[in-house]
Amino acid sequence: MSNPKSSPQDKFSFFEDVYAVARLIPRGRVSSYGAIARYLGNVRKARIVGYAMNGCSARHDVPAHRVVNSQGILSGKSHFSPDNPMEEALRAEGIVVVGDKIQDFARVFWDPGVELAL
DNA sequence: AGTGTGACAGATC
DNA sequence: CGATCTGCCACAC
């Protein structure tokens, strides 16, 4: 049907897509904003992914602690609660974090576009 | 309806 | 090799 204005999926914004991919991240692995953005269609949406993660604070069903920037740095650590720091959550999954930076980032890196064999 | 903003990424100097 | 600047698209006001 040629009626995009009445598309039922319009109710699901990009944020939902980001949350969906974030939920697919296996335990003990991490992903990057650009990887998720690229999986959604374009790496340029990386900022939107980060923006979406900003609202993840209200969503406890989204492992935002498994999402870091392309450098493997816990960019959004400051947005996490001091009682439940991002570094602690990652370390609890076996990920080594030093100086707000993930060690062996390439080893724990999880790319949806590759793992999901899109 | 337009403006501002942002948990990024990549390129350049 | 590190620091700096721009581009970028979706959401909130």
PDB file of all heavy atoms in Angstrom, chain C:
ATOM      1  P    DC C   1      51.784   5.304  16.537  1.00  0.00           P
ATOM      2  OP1  DC C   1      51.058   4.465  17.389  1.00  0.00           O
ATOM      3  OP2  DC C   1      51.821   5.285  15.123  1.00  0.00           O
ATOM      4  O5'  DC C   1      51.616   6.818  17.009  1.00  0.00           O
ATOM      5  C5'  DC C   1      52.478   7.270  18.073  1.00  0.00           C
ATOM      6  C4'  DC C   1      52.085   8.686  18.495  1.00  0.00           C
ATOM      7  O4'  DC C   1      52.285   9.589  17.385  1.00  0.00           O
ATOM      8  C3'  DC C   1      50.611   8.780  18.909  1.00  0.00           C
ATOM      9  O3'  DC C   1      50.540   9.204  20.265  1.00  0.00           O
ATOM     10  C2'  DC C   1      49.997   9.817  18.006  1.00  0.00           C
ATOM     11  C1'  DC C   1      51.196  10.506  17.346  1.00  0.00           C
ATOM     12  N1   DC C   1      50.869  10.804  15.929  1.00  0.00           N
ATOM     13  C2   DC C   1      50.597  12.115  15.551  1.00  0.00           C
ATOM     14  O2   DC C   1      50.623  13.000  16.395  1.00  0.00           O
ATOM     15  N3   DC C   1      50.311  12.389  14.254  1.00  0.00           N
ATOM     16  C4   DC C   1      50.287  11.408  13.367  1.00  0.00           C
ATOM     17  N4   DC C   1      50.008  11.709  12.093  1.00  0.00           N
ATOM     18  C5   DC C   1      50.567  10.057  13.719  1.00  0.00           C
ATOM     19  C6   DC C   1      50.847   9.795  15.007  1.00  0.00           C
ATOM     20  P    DG C   2      49.108   9.050  21.112  1.00  0.00           P
ATOM     21  OP1  DG C   2      49.376   8.667  22.514  1.00  0.00           O
ATOM     22  OP2  DG C   2      48.171   8.266  20.301  1.00  0.00           O
ATOM     23  O5'  DG C   2      48.612  10.583  21.129  1.00  0.00           O
ATOM     24  C5'  DG C   2      49.499  11.585  21.619  1.00  0.00           C
ATOM     25  C4'  DG C   2      48.887  12.982  21.398  1.00  0.00           C
ATOM     26  O4'  DG C   2      48.848  13.290  19.994  1.00  0.00           O
ATOM     27  C3'  DG C   2      47.465  13.115  21.935  1.00  0.00           C
ATOM     28  O3'  DG C   2      47.386  14.265  22.764  1.00  0.00           O
ATOM     29  C2'  DG C   2      46.596  13.247  20.715  1.00  0.00           C
ATOM     30  C1'  DG C   2      47.536  13.736  19.638  1.00  0.00           C
ATOM     31  N9   DG C   2      47.236  13.203  18.294  1.00  0.00           N
ATOM     32  C8   DG C   2      47.043  11.890  17.925  1.00  0.00           C
ATOM     33  N7   DG C   2      46.826  11.721  16.642  1.00  0.00           N
ATOM     34  C5   DG C   2      46.877  13.008  16.134  1.00  0.00           C
ATOM     35  C6   DG C   2      46.723  13.468  14.793  1.00  0.00           C
ATOM     36  O6   DG C   2      46.514  12.815  13.761  1.00  0.00           O
ATOM     37  N1   DG C   2      46.837  14.845  14.711  1.00  0.00           N
ATOM     38  C2   DG C   2      47.088  15.685  15.769  1.00  0.00           C
ATOM     39  N2   DG C   2      47.155  16.983  15.490  1.00  0.00           N
ATOM     40  N3   DG C   2      47.240  15.272  17.021  1.00  0.00           N
ATOM     41  C4   DG C   2      47.120  13.925  17.133  1.00  0.00           C
ATOM     42  P    DA C   3      45.994  14.669  23.464  1.00  0.00           P
ATOM     43  OP1  DA C   3      46.299  15.174  24.805  1.00  0.00           O
ATOM     44  OP2  DA C   3      45.018  13.572  23.293  1.00  0.00           O
ATOM     45  O5'  DA C   3      45.523  15.907  22.547  1.00  0.00           O
ATOM     46  C5'  DA C   3      46.443  16.942  22.263  1.00  0.00           C
ATOM     47  C4'  DA C   3      45.873  17.908  21.216  1.00  0.00           C
ATOM     48  O4'  DA C   3      45.816  17.278  19.921  1.00  0.00           O
ATOM     49  C3'  DA C   3      44.447  18.389  21.552  1.00  0.00           C
ATOM     50  O3'  DA C   3      44.358  19.795  21.373  1.00  0.00           O
ATOM     51  C2'  DA C   3      43.585  17.655  20.555  1.00  0.00           C
ATOM     52  C1'  DA C   3      44.507  17.426  19.370  1.00  0.00           C
ATOM     53  N9   DA C   3      44.182  16.216  18.601  1.00  0.00           N
ATOM     54  C8   DA C   3      44.024  14.941  19.052  1.00  0.00           C
ATOM     55  N7   DA C   3      43.747  14.058  18.128  1.00  0.00           N
ATOM     56  C5   DA C   3      43.733  14.819  16.973  1.00  0.00           C
ATOM     57  C6   DA C   3      43.506  14.489  15.629  1.00  0.00           C
ATOM     58  N6   DA C   3      43.258  13.253  15.201  1.00  0.00           N
ATOM     59  N1   DA C   3      43.554  15.480  14.710  1.00  0.00           N
ATOM     60  C2   DA C   3      43.803  16.722  15.123  1.00  0.00           C
ATOM     61  N3   DA C   3      44.052  17.162  16.360  1.00  0.00           N
ATOM     62  C4   DA C   3      43.989  16.142  17.242  1.00  0.00           C
ATOM     63  P    DT C   4      42.944  20.526  21.667  1.00  0.00           P
ATOM     64  OP1  DT C   4      43.235  21.881  22.187  1.00  0.00           O
ATOM     65  OP2  DT C   4      42.080  19.606  22.423  1.00  0.00           O
ATOM     66  O5'  DT C   4      42.320  20.689  20.196  1.00  0.00           O
ATOM     67  C5'  DT C   4      43.085  21.329  19.171  1.00  0.00           C
ATOM     68  C4'  DT C   4      42.285  21.405  17.877  1.00  0.00           C
ATOM     69  O4'  DT C   4      42.253  20.128  17.222  1.00  0.00           O
ATOM     70  C3'  DT C   4      40.820  21.845  18.087  1.00  0.00           C
ATOM     71  O3'  DT C   4      40.534  22.985  17.279  1.00  0.00           O
ATOM     72  C2'  DT C   4      40.001  20.651  17.651  1.00  0.00           C
ATOM     73  C1'  DT C   4      40.952  19.880  16.738  1.00  0.00           C
ATOM     74  N1   DT C   4      40.717  18.415  16.771  1.00  0.00           N
ATOM     75  C2   DT C   4      40.474  17.760  15.575  1.00  0.00           C
ATOM     76  O2   DT C   4      40.420  18.332  14.498  1.00  0.00           O
ATOM     77  N3   DT C   4      40.282  16.402  15.687  1.00  0.00           N
ATOM     78  C4   DT C   4      40.316  15.657  16.849  1.00  0.00           C
ATOM     79  O4   DT C   4      40.141  14.445  16.804  1.00  0.00           O
ATOM     80  C5   DT C   4      40.577  16.410  18.057  1.00  0.00           C
ATOM     81  C7   DT C   4      40.635  15.713  19.369  1.00  0.00           C
ATOM     82  C6   DT C   4      40.770  17.738  17.960  1.00  0.00           C
ATOM     83  P    DC C   5      39.074  23.662  17.318  1.00  0.00           P
ATOM     84  OP1  DC C   5      39.220  25.105  17.050  1.00  0.00           O
ATOM     85  OP2  DC C   5      38.350  23.215  18.530  1.00  0.00           O
ATOM     86  O5'  DC C   5      38.378  22.988  16.034  1.00  0.00           O
ATOM     87  C5'  DC C   5      39.029  23.029  14.766  1.00  0.00           C
ATOM     88  C4'  DC C   5      38.112  22.529  13.631  1.00  0.00           C
ATOM     89  O4'  DC C   5      38.177  21.096  13.545  1.00  0.00           O
ATOM     90  C3'  DC C   5      36.644  22.925  13.802  1.00  0.00           C
ATOM     91  O3'  DC C   5      36.169  23.585  12.628  1.00  0.00           O
ATOM     92  C2'  DC C   5      35.922  21.609  14.024  1.00  0.00           C
ATOM     93  C1'  DC C   5      36.876  20.530  13.524  1.00  0.00           C
ATOM     94  N1   DC C   5      36.891  19.315  14.382  1.00  0.00           N
ATOM     95  C2   DC C   5      36.760  18.049  13.805  1.00  0.00           C
ATOM     96  O2   DC C   5      36.640  17.960  12.580  1.00  0.00           O
ATOM     97  N3   DC C   5      36.781  16.961  14.596  1.00  0.00           N
ATOM     98  C4   DC C   5      36.925  17.096  15.924  1.00  0.00           C
ATOM     99  N4   DC C   5      36.941  15.991  16.661  1.00  0.00           N
ATOM    100  C5   DC C   5      37.044  18.369  16.536  1.00  0.00           C
ATOM    101  C6   DC C   5      37.025  19.455  15.731  1.00  0.00           C
ATOM    102  P    DT C   6      34.627  24.072  12.565  1.00  0.00           P
ATOM    103  OP1  DT C   6      34.645  25.327  11.783  1.00  0.00           O
ATOM    104  OP2  DT C   6      33.990  24.001  13.890  1.00  0.00           O
ATOM    105  O5'  DT C   6      33.988  22.921  11.653  1.00  0.00           O
ATOM    106  C5'  DT C   6      34.674  22.503  10.452  1.00  0.00           C
ATOM    107  C4'  DT C   6      34.054  21.227   9.902  1.00  0.00           C
ATOM    108  O4'  DT C   6      34.332  20.112  10.764  1.00  0.00           O
ATOM    109  C3'  DT C   6      32.537  21.285   9.699  1.00  0.00           C
ATOM    110  O3'  DT C   6      32.216  20.959   8.351  1.00  0.00           O
ATOM    111  C2'  DT C   6      31.980  20.237  10.640  1.00  0.00           C
ATOM    112  C1'  DT C   6      33.160  19.312  10.886  1.00  0.00           C
ATOM    113  N1   DT C   6      33.164  18.704  12.238  1.00  0.00           N
ATOM    114  C2   DT C   6      33.196  17.333  12.338  1.00  0.00           C
ATOM    115  O2   DT C   6      33.197  16.596  11.365  1.00  0.00           O
ATOM    116  N3   DT C   6      33.225  16.837  13.620  1.00  0.00           N
ATOM    117  C4   DT C   6      33.219  17.566  14.796  1.00  0.00           C
ATOM    118  O4   DT C   6      33.262  17.002  15.870  1.00  0.00           O
ATOM    119  C5   DT C   6      33.189  19.005  14.612  1.00  0.00           C
ATOM    120  C7   DT C   6      33.182  19.890  15.811  1.00  0.00           C
ATOM    121  C6   DT C   6      33.154  19.494  13.360  1.00  0.00           C
ATOM    122  P    DG C   7      30.698  21.078   7.873  1.00  0.00           P
ATOM    123  OP1  DG C   7      30.723  21.503   6.457  1.00  0.00           O
ATOM    124  OP2  DG C   7      29.973  21.886   8.877  1.00  0.00           O
ATOM    125  O5'  DG C   7      30.136  19.566   7.923  1.00  0.00           O
ATOM    126  C5'  DG C   7      30.824  18.521   7.221  1.00  0.00           C
ATOM    127  C4'  DG C   7      30.127  17.178   7.446  1.00  0.00           C
ATOM    128  O4'  DG C   7      30.378  16.718   8.784  1.00  0.00           O
ATOM    129  C3'  DG C   7      28.600  17.253   7.294  1.00  0.00           C
ATOM    130  O3'  DG C   7      28.132  16.104   6.611  1.00  0.00           O
ATOM    131  C2'  DG C   7      28.106  17.276   8.723  1.00  0.00           C
ATOM    132  C1'  DG C   7      29.150  16.467   9.456  1.00  0.00           C
ATOM    133  N9   DG C   7      29.299  16.838  10.870  1.00  0.00           N
ATOM    134  C8   DG C   7      29.342  18.093  11.411  1.00  0.00           C
ATOM    135  N7   DG C   7      29.488  18.105  12.717  1.00  0.00           N
ATOM    136  C5   DG C   7      29.556  16.763  13.047  1.00  0.00           C
ATOM    137  C6   DG C   7      29.722  16.137  14.299  1.00  0.00           C
ATOM    138  O6   DG C   7      29.853  16.655  15.416  1.00  0.00           O
ATOM    139  N1   DG C   7      29.715  14.745  14.192  1.00  0.00           N
ATOM    140  C2   DG C   7      29.587  14.055  13.021  1.00  0.00           C
ATOM    141  N2   DG C   7      29.598  12.743  13.095  1.00  0.00           N
ATOM    142  N3   DG C   7      29.439  14.629  11.833  1.00  0.00           N
ATOM    143  C4   DG C   7      29.433  15.978  11.921  1.00  0.00           C
ATOM    144  P    DC C   8      26.583  16.035   6.129  1.00  0.00           P
ATOM    145  OP1  DC C   8      26.539  16.129   4.664  1.00  0.00           O
ATOM    146  OP2  DC C   8      25.788  16.987   6.929  1.00  0.00           O
ATOM    147  O5'  DC C   8      26.178  14.526   6.537  1.00  0.00           O
ATOM    148  C5'  DC C   8      26.817  13.853   7.552  1.00  0.00           C
ATOM    149  C4'  DC C   8      25.849  13.396   8.665  1.00  0.00           C
ATOM    150  O4'  DC C   8      26.246  14.005   9.905  1.00  0.00           O
ATOM    151  C3'  DC C   8      24.397  13.842   8.456  1.00  0.00           C
ATOM    152  O3'  DC C   8      23.632  12.770   7.889  1.00  0.00           O
ATOM    153  C2'  DC C   8      23.876  14.098   9.861  1.00  0.00           C
ATOM    154  C1'  DC C   8      25.102  14.247  10.716  1.00  0.00           C
ATOM    155  N1   DC C   8      25.269  15.596  11.321  1.00  0.00           N
ATOM    156  C2   DC C   8      25.708  15.698  12.629  1.00  0.00           C
ATOM    157  O2   DC C   8      25.939  14.653  13.241  1.00  0.00           O
ATOM    158  N3   DC C   8      25.858  16.925  13.183  1.00  0.00           N
ATOM    159  C4   DC C   8      25.598  18.033  12.469  1.00  0.00           C
ATOM    160  N4   DC C   8      25.772  19.203  13.043  1.00  0.00           N
ATOM    161  C5   DC C   8      25.143  17.937  11.107  1.00  0.00           C
ATOM    162  C6   DC C   8      24.987  16.710  10.583  1.00  0.00           C
ATOM    163  P    DC C   9      22.193  13.106   7.222  1.00  0.00           P
ATOM    164  OP1  DC C   9      22.272  12.754   5.814  1.00  0.00           O
ATOM    165  OP2  DC C   9      21.800  14.477   7.626  1.00  0.00           O
ATOM    166  O5'  DC C   9      21.118  12.156   7.929  1.00  0.00           O
ATOM    167  C5'  DC C   9      21.515  11.050   8.701  1.00  0.00           C
ATOM    168  C4'  DC C   9      20.768  11.010  10.049  1.00  0.00           C
ATOM    169  O4'  DC C   9      21.356  11.926  10.981  1.00  0.00           O
ATOM    170  C3'  DC C   9      19.296  11.384   9.939  1.00  0.00           C
ATOM    171  O3'  DC C   9      18.493  10.406  10.546  1.00  0.00           O
ATOM    172  C2'  DC C   9      19.190  12.694  10.701  1.00  0.00           C
ATOM    173  C1'  DC C   9      20.328  12.636  11.669  1.00  0.00           C
ATOM    174  N1   DC C   9      20.878  13.950  12.094  1.00  0.00           N
ATOM    175  C2   DC C   9      21.209  14.118  13.443  1.00  0.00           C
ATOM    176  O2   DC C   9      21.014  13.200  14.236  1.00  0.00           O
ATOM    177  N3   DC C   9      21.739  15.290  13.840  1.00  0.00           N
ATOM    178  C4   DC C   9      21.951  16.263  12.946  1.00  0.00           C
ATOM    179  N4   DC C   9      22.477  17.401  13.381  1.00  0.00           N
ATOM    180  C5   DC C   9      21.606  16.108  11.563  1.00  0.00           C
ATOM    181  C6   DC C   9      21.084  14.939  11.190  1.00  0.00           C
ATOM    182  P    DA C  10      16.912  10.401  10.253  1.00  0.00           P
ATOM    183  OP1  DA C  10      16.547   9.108   9.666  1.00  0.00           O
ATOM    184  OP2  DA C  10      16.546  11.661   9.586  1.00  0.00           O
ATOM    185  O5'  DA C  10      16.342  10.455  11.739  1.00  0.00           O
ATOM    186  C5'  DA C  10      16.579   9.366  12.611  1.00  0.00           C
ATOM    187  C4'  DA C  10      16.446   9.803  14.073  1.00  0.00           C
ATOM    188  O4'  DA C  10      17.305  10.922  14.331  1.00  0.00           O
ATOM    189  C3'  DA C  10      15.020  10.251  14.411  1.00  0.00           C
ATOM    190  O3'  DA C  10      14.624   9.690  15.646  1.00  0.00           O
ATOM    191  C2'  DA C  10      15.130  11.765  14.495  1.00  0.00           C
ATOM    192  C1'  DA C  10      16.575  11.980  14.936  1.00  0.00           C
ATOM    193  N9   DA C  10      17.133  13.261  14.498  1.00  0.00           N
ATOM    194  C8   DA C  10      17.197  13.762  13.230  1.00  0.00           C
ATOM    195  N7   DA C  10      17.760  14.943  13.145  1.00  0.00           N
ATOM    196  C5   DA C  10      18.096  15.244  14.456  1.00  0.00           C
ATOM    197  C6   DA C  10      18.722  16.357  15.056  1.00  0.00           C
ATOM    198  N6   DA C  10      19.136  17.414  14.375  1.00  0.00           N
ATOM    199  N1   DA C  10      18.884  16.323  16.402  1.00  0.00           N
ATOM    200  C2   DA C  10      18.474  15.265  17.085  1.00  0.00           C
ATOM    201  N3   DA C  10      17.866  14.166  16.642  1.00  0.00           N
ATOM    202  C4   DA C  10      17.708  14.212  15.299  1.00  0.00           C
ATOM    203  P    DC C  11      13.124   9.764  16.068  1.00  0.00           P
ATOM    204  OP1  DC C  11      12.720   8.459  16.581  1.00  0.00           O
ATOM    205  OP2  DC C  11      12.359  10.426  14.983  1.00  0.00           O
ATOM    206  O5'  DC C  11      13.241  10.783  17.299  1.00  0.00           O
ATOM    207  C5'  DC C  11      13.955  10.370  18.471  1.00  0.00           C
ATOM    208  C4'  DC C  11      14.140  11.543  19.431  1.00  0.00           C
ATOM    209  O4'  DC C  11      14.878  12.596  18.797  1.00  0.00           O
ATOM    210  C3'  DC C  11      12.831  12.162  19.918  1.00  0.00           C
ATOM    211  O3'  DC C  11      12.874  12.343  21.322  1.00  0.00           O
ATOM    212  C2'  DC C  11      12.749  13.493  19.198  1.00  0.00           C
ATOM    213  C1'  DC C  11      14.206  13.833  18.987  1.00  0.00           C
ATOM    214  N1   DC C  11      14.444  14.710  17.816  1.00  0.00           N
ATOM    215  C2   DC C  11      15.087  15.938  18.007  1.00  0.00           C
ATOM    216  O2   DC C  11      15.425  16.260  19.158  1.00  0.00           O
ATOM    217  N3   DC C  11      15.316  16.743  16.942  1.00  0.00           N
ATOM    218  C4   DC C  11      14.932  16.358  15.722  1.00  0.00           C
ATOM    219  N4   DC C  11      15.185  17.176  14.704  1.00  0.00           N
ATOM    220  C5   DC C  11      14.282  15.107  15.502  1.00  0.00           C
ATOM    221  C6   DC C  11      14.048  14.326  16.566  1.00  0.00           C
ATOM    222  P    DA C  12      11.522  12.677  22.071  1.00  0.00           P
ATOM    223  OP1  DA C  12      11.364  11.787  23.232  1.00  0.00           O
ATOM    224  OP2  DA C  12      10.412  12.823  21.091  1.00  0.00           O
ATOM    225  O5'  DA C  12      11.883  14.146  22.595  1.00  0.00           O
ATOM    226  C5'  DA C  12      13.029  14.335  23.425  1.00  0.00           C
ATOM    227  C4'  DA C  12      13.167  15.787  23.844  1.00  0.00           C
ATOM    228  O4'  DA C  12      13.638  16.578  22.714  1.00  0.00           O
ATOM    229  C3'  DA C  12      11.856  16.418  24.309  1.00  0.00           C
ATOM    230  O3'  DA C  12      12.069  17.234  25.454  1.00  0.00           O
ATOM    231  C2'  DA C  12      11.390  17.226  23.118  1.00  0.00           C
ATOM    232  C1'  DA C  12      12.698  17.619  22.438  1.00  0.00           C
ATOM    233  N9   DA C  12      12.550  17.731  20.973  1.00  0.00           N
ATOM    234  C8   DA C  12      12.002  16.828  20.110  1.00  0.00           C
ATOM    235  N7   DA C  12      12.033  17.200  18.855  1.00  0.00           N
ATOM    236  C5   DA C  12      12.632  18.445  18.900  1.00  0.00           C
ATOM    237  C6   DA C  12      12.959  19.370  17.905  1.00  0.00           C
ATOM    238  N6   DA C  12      12.722  19.195  16.611  1.00  0.00           N
ATOM    239  N1   DA C  12      13.556  20.524  18.277  1.00  0.00           N
ATOM    240  C2   DA C  12      13.814  20.719  19.583  1.00  0.00           C
ATOM    241  N3   DA C  12      13.557  19.926  20.606  1.00  0.00           N
ATOM    242  C4   DA C  12      12.969  18.780  20.192  1.00  0.00           C
ATOM    243  P    DC C  13      10.837  18.013  26.088  1.00  0.00           P
ATOM    244  OP1  DC C  13      11.028  18.055  27.531  1.00  0.00           O
ATOM    245  OP2  DC C  13       9.580  17.444  25.536  1.00  0.00           O
ATOM    246  O5'  DC C  13      11.028  19.487  25.505  1.00  0.00           O
ATOM    247  C5'  DC C  13      12.245  20.188  25.747  1.00  0.00           C
ATOM    248  C4'  DC C  13      12.145  21.624  25.221  1.00  0.00           C
ATOM    249  O4'  DC C  13      12.224  21.610  23.779  1.00  0.00           O
ATOM    250  C3'  DC C  13      10.830  22.300  25.578  1.00  0.00           C
ATOM    251  O3'  DC C  13      11.043  23.632  26.031  1.00  0.00           O
ATOM    252  C2'  DC C  13      10.049  22.318  24.294  1.00  0.00           C
ATOM    253  C1'  DC C  13      11.133  22.336  23.234  1.00  0.00           C
ATOM    254  N1   DC C  13      10.698  21.695  21.980  1.00  0.00           N
ATOM    255  C2   DC C  13      10.788  22.411  20.789  1.00  0.00           C
ATOM    256  O2   DC C  13      11.223  23.556  20.804  1.00  0.00           O
ATOM    257  N3   DC C  13      10.375  21.828  19.643  1.00  0.00           N
ATOM    258  C4   DC C  13       9.920  20.571  19.654  1.00  0.00           C
ATOM    259  N4   DC C  13       9.534  20.026  18.493  1.00  0.00           N
ATOM    260  C5   DC C  13       9.821  19.820  20.855  1.00  0.00           C
ATOM    261  C6   DC C  13      10.230  20.408  21.984  1.00  0.00           C
TER     262       DC C  13
END
